[in-house]
Each structure stands twice: as structure tokens, then as C-alpha cells.
Amino acid sequence: MKHILVPIGISPDAHRTLQYAVDFAAVFSSQVYVMEVFNVSVGAGKSLANVPQKLAESGKERLKEVIEKIDAKGVNIKIATYNGGIVDGLKDIDRELGIDLIIMAPRSNDVTEELYLGNTSGKIIKQTDIPTLIVPKGSVMAPPKNILTAFKSGILKRNRILNPLLDIKKKFGSTVNLLLVKTPGYSDADLRINTALMDVSSQITMTEAPTTYLGVLEHMQAQHPDLLCVFRHKRGFFKKLWEKNTIPKSEFSARIPVLVLSVKKD
């Protein structure tokens, strides 16, 4: 896990998310990139020609202020600004550097308390294929001892989708428990669990529930995991939820970090 990216929003607690990311990166000897995006289009007027440059400089100064609030712990932190949309910016940086993990708060730029994922954070999860660790506001990084990995289909096209989970398990010595939630309309194929996924854990539980989230909620209350791991693909955990960018807390919420695994496009 060489490169970790942290999108910085306007939240006054942005430094707390960055501190979590730095503490996490220190364990893996990773390099951290903090990123801010701005969106400005300049017309033909020459007087506005330097607006993007000024905004980029202003963004860098703000990111420096955020960085100054944390304990860097010897982690190499670099600043990245981007003129354009957050999704395009992430994809460009990923193509250039190869981002192994995004660490972000559930609501990066949205303060609506009814939302688990705001519009910006929802776009990152829904529209990119980069593994993401969603860290609840104010969380302090601690080694996850118990990881609940939940899914409704055991089919994985590529074993490398599991790399972040395997890295975390190995580095922290975590115990991984698998949970297969059978929802209405499941097929026999859904019950065929990828061998690489089976190798992650010696324990697998199968349960039936109206939705994957309700099945997971029941087992979270029983197992008290430190980390919830889910998959983002067509048959994944948030199949219905991710049809839109925002996710209300009434539909999904978690007080622990959530690792969202997704296959990068080749």
C-alpha cells in the first residue's frame, strides 16, 4: 500500500481525518497525498487568465494549514490541487501515481446530519473504482482486531480486489469473519464463494434478510467488529443505495470505519 489519497473538504474537522490517514499510513510506510479540487472556467477576458492559478495557490495554502494541525509522524505528505470535478481529479491522479487507497470522512463537504454519505463523498464511492476507507468523524486510528466482511454474492472476477483487506489483515493481525447475506431473489451462483475470499477467513456465516444492510446490522450488533468491509460492484453491498450519490442514515450508517473494495479499471 504505497500511495494513500485524502480528499480534503471544507469541514473544520478535516485535520482529524488527515491525522487518521497519516497514522494509518505510518504503519504501512505509505506516502500520503492530500487533495483539494476547485472548479473554474475562464472566458476570453485576459483579466481572469490567472484565476485558476490563484485558486490553486489558495487551495495549497489551506491544505498547508490543515497539515500543520496534525502530527505527521515522519510520513511523506504531498499536496495535490485540481481544477475540475472531484471524480475526474481522482481518476487523473490515480492514472499518474496509482492510488492504493482513499481515506475520507463520510461527508466531505456536506454537513447535513441526515446523510451518511454526502454528495461529494458519495460521488467518490460511486463513480471511482479505487478502494476507499470511510472513517467516521472524529475517529482515532486503532488496529482493527475484528473485521466483518459482508456480501450478497461470493463471486469475484479478480482476486486482487481483496488486496487492501489482505494487507490490513496481515499488518494488524486481524481476524476476518465472512457474512453472506441471502436476500430475496438470490441465485445458487451467489452462494459460490471465491476461493481467495474463503482463504481470508476460516469462518463464514450465512443468513437471510430482506436487505443486505439489515443482515449486516444484526451481525454487527452481535460481533461488534472494528471494521466493516463491503464490495462495490454490480452485485455488491450497496447495489440499490449507490444508484444515487447521497445515502441517508436511515438507509445505511456505521459508527466504525467501512472499507469499500472495488476493482480498478484496467
Side-chain angles (χ1 to χ4, degrees):
M1 202 172 295
K2 296 180 179 180
H3 298 149
I4 294 174
L5 187 139
V6 185
I8 298 294
I10 60 174
S11 169
D13 295 316
H15 65 285
R16 298 184 184 275
T17 303
L18 179 57
Q19 184 67 67
Y20 186 104
V22 166
D23 293 346
F24 186 92
V27 177
F28 289 88
S29 299
S30 307
Q31 182 166 287
V32 171
Y33 293 85
V34 289
M35 175 185 180
E36 183 176 72
V37 300
F38 59 94
N39 201 332
V40 59
S41 56
V42 179
K46 294 182 179 179
S47 61
L48 297 178
N50 62 345
V51 169
Q53 181 181 348
K54 288 184 176 180
L55 286 175
E57 292 174 352
S58 175
K60 287 181 180 179
E61 289 303 315
R62 200 180 79 81
L63 292 179
K64 288 179 181 178
E65 293 176 0
V66 174
I67 293 172
E68 288 174 356
K69 294 180 180 180
I70 70 165
D71 178 3
K73 298 185 175 180
V75 173
N76 188 10
I77 303 175
K78 292 190 175 182
I79 291 176
T81 58
Y82 184 82
N83 180 11
I86 180 69
V87 173
D88 290 337
L90 287 171
K91 290 180 178 179
D92 279 0
I93 291 178
D94 186 31
R95 281 191 291 267
E96 180 181 351
L97 301 172
I99 299 301
D100 298 299
L101 184 70
I102 294 173
I103 296 181
M104 68 175 190
R107 303 182 309 279
S108 55
N109 282 349
D110 200 311
V111 295
T112 306
E113 289 301 320
E114 291 78 12
L115 295 178
Y116 173 68
L117 287 186
N119 188 58
T120 301
S121 52
K123 281 182 179 179
I124 293 172
I125 292 292
K126 178 183 175 182
Q127 299 181 31
T128 73
D129 292 301
I130 306 171
T132 302
L133 183 61
I134 306 172
V135 179
K137 181 180 178 181
S139 294
V140 177
M141 207 289 289
K145 296 302 181 183
N146 184 12
I147 302 174
L148 178 62
T149 301
F151 50 94
K152 63 181 294 182
S153 172
I155 301 171
L156 295 178
K157 292 184 177 179
R158 299 176 179 86
N159 291 345
R160 63 188 175 91
I161 189 176
L162 296 173
N163 285 349
L165 176 61
L166 294 173
D167 289 344
I168 291 173
K169 172 182 167 65
K170 180 179 179 180
K171 184 64 69 172
F172 296 110
S174 309
T175 297
V176 178
N177 297 316
L178 304 181
L179 176 65
L180 173 57
V181 182
K182 296 189 289 186
T183 58
Y186 75 88
S187 67
D188 291 339
D190 292 332
L191 305 182
R192 300 173 188 165
I193 302 175
N194 181 282
T195 54
L197 184 56
M198 287 290 291
D199 289 341
V200 171
S201 172
S202 57
Q203 176 182 340
I204 179 168
T205 302
M206 292 190 184
T207 187
E208 294 191 38
T211 66
T212 311
Y213 174 46
L214 290 177
V216 169
L217 187 62
E218 175 186 352
H219 286 267
M220 284 181 65
Q221 293 172 343
Q223 297 184 20
H224 304 290
D226 306 304
L227 176 68
L228 173 64
C229 178
V230 299
F231 298 90
R232 194 202 75 84
H233 53 73
K234 290 182 179 180
R235 302 184 62 80
F237 183 70
F238 290 136
K239 180 180 178 182
K240 291 297 182 183
L241 294 182
W242 283 338
E243 290 177 355
K244 52 189 180 299
N245 288 333
T246 58
I247 295 182
K249 287 182 179 178
S250 59
E251 295 183 23
F252 175 79
S253 184
R255 296 183 178 180
I256 59 175
V258 178
L259 177 64
V260 183
L261 299 182
S262 185
V263 180
K264 290 185 179 182
K265 295 181 180 179
D266 296 325

